[in-house]
Amino acid sequence: GDKIHINLSGANRAVYSAATGMNTYQFIRISDSAASGELQVTGGSLVSDSTATTYISSGGQTGTLNQSGGTVGFGGYLEVGLGANSIGNINLSGGMLIAERTGTVGGVPNVSMVLGDGNNAQGNLILSGGEFRTRMGVLLGNNGGKGRFEVDGAGIANIGTENANDDGFWLQNSNSVLAAYVNDGALGIVFVDNLTNSTGGTYADGNVIFMPGSKLEVGFLGATNAGSWDVMHWEGKLLTNGLAFASGTDTNWSFAFVDTDGTNGADTLRVSYGTPA
């Protein structure tokens, strides 16, 4: 039943490890006062079980979750960078991070995580290993905020796989960024699932929406090599295609929406560099 508020950072950050064990709390909030907060998770199981919203930065502060192992499960949906000038960061390099529930954000229902919600707010998720899993949809940017979802070489994001009775979706608003960086020839993927047979509407069914002004950022971490990589795959439909490369992108890059199964039209976002073999 305890409520966890983490409002210290740096040398005084909160640390959770395998030695801490397995614990369930009512809710967890990082940086929800007039101070920045940081949580580092290296192992163990850390879970919240209420439907209260999970904050990673609110009130104009900077909040950070660094996870390299273990399991973190948030009962309430994730607000990463909530409120004017807030900066929320998730760095997932190992383990499993789960957004277990949903809420309505800016009129959009079924949101499990929103990155950047509020005037000049910024929400960032960098995935370089492990698994990020949600119950339903991901929203990048809301109410003047911007989101950034970055995949660095490894890791998988399973959007909409946490509950067999729900579907995922992806909604990326103007000036928000989907970034993909190839590392040693490898790139993790964002998978948007459609688990149920029923029709859930726009914000469900494994649908993908890139609003006009959505940005795609690509590059290499280390050696440069020609090739093609799938950044995102979805089981629904591409409802809106407003995606464009971020300014300054190397002109050797190209991207395409590809139909890999012959149903519902394009289901994969594929990027290529140079002339692949």
Side-chain angles (χ1 to χ4, degrees):
D2 288 344
K3 303 172 183 178
I4 306 300
H5 302 265
I6 298 169
N7 292 298
L8 298 173
S9 59
N12 295 315
R13 68 189 181 279
V15 178
Y16 199 95
S17 68
T20 317
M22 301 174 64
N23 292 280
T24 301
Y25 299 98
Q26 187 176 154
F27 64 71
I28 300 170
R29 291 177 175 172
I30 303 171
S31 185
D32 65 341
S33 73
S36 296
E38 180 183 353
L39 170 61
Q40 177 180 314
V41 180
T42 60
S45 174
L46 174 62
V47 175
S48 63
D49 62 359
S50 82
T51 59
T53 308
T54 302
Y55 299 156
I56 300 181
S57 175
S58 60
Q61 302 302 315
T62 298
T64 302
L65 168 62
N66 293 315
Q67 184 179 355
S68 59
T71 299
V72 178
F74 291 123
Y77 77 92
L78 272 167
E79 283 272 11
V80 184
L82 171 64
N85 304 312
S86 297
I87 300 174
N89 303 299
I90 297 175
N91 300 302
L92 179 61
S93 59
M96 180 178 291
L97 174 62
I98 308 170
E100 299 176 350
R101 289 192 175 91
T102 65
T104 298
V105 180
V108 179
N110 308 323
V111 175
S112 287
M113 181 183 70
V114 54
L115 296 174
D117 186 2
N119 184 42
N120 203 39
Q122 179 71 47
N124 307 300
L125 188 151
I126 298 177
L127 176 66
S128 60
E131 179 185 353
F132 173 61
R133 182 186 297 178
T134 71
R135 179 168 180 165
M136 294 193 74
V138 167
L139 170 61
L140 274 64
N142 180 62
N143 193 29
K146 299 176 184 177
R148 180 184 179 88
F149 196 111
E150 180 176 328
V151 181
D152 285 354
I156 184 168
N158 281 314
I159 310 303
T161 63
E162 177 58 19
N163 189 312
N165 296 316
D166 296 312
D167 303 323
F169 69 89
W170 177 277
L171 172 54
Q172 183 171 332
N173 279 316
S174 178
N175 294 317
S176 288
V177 176
L178 171 61
Y181 283 85
V182 179
N183 191 7
D184 291 332
L187 181 67
I189 193 166
V190 179
F191 175 62
V192 186
D193 205 356
N194 180 21
L195 280 171
T196 64
N197 293 323
S198 61
T199 300
T202 300
Y203 305 115
D205 299 336
N207 293 329
V208 169
I209 302 168
F210 293 107
M211 295 299 291
S214 298
K215 301 300 182 185
L216 175 63
E217 183 180 304
V218 290
F220 292 96
L221 299 175
T224 299
N225 57 285
S228 292
W229 299 268
D230 290 347
V231 178
M232 180 183 288
H233 178 74
W234 54 91
E235 292 188 325
K237 296 180 180 181
L238 177 62
L239 298 182
T240 305
N241 175 15
L243 191 65
F245 275 133
S247 61
T249 299
D250 186 331
T251 56
N252 288 299
W253 283 103
S254 62
F255 75 88
F257 293 104
V258 182
D259 184 353
T260 64
D261 60 10
T263 63
N264 289 333
D267 59 21
T268 299
L269 170 59
R270 182 170 295 166
V271 297
S272 300
Y273 186 83
T275 303

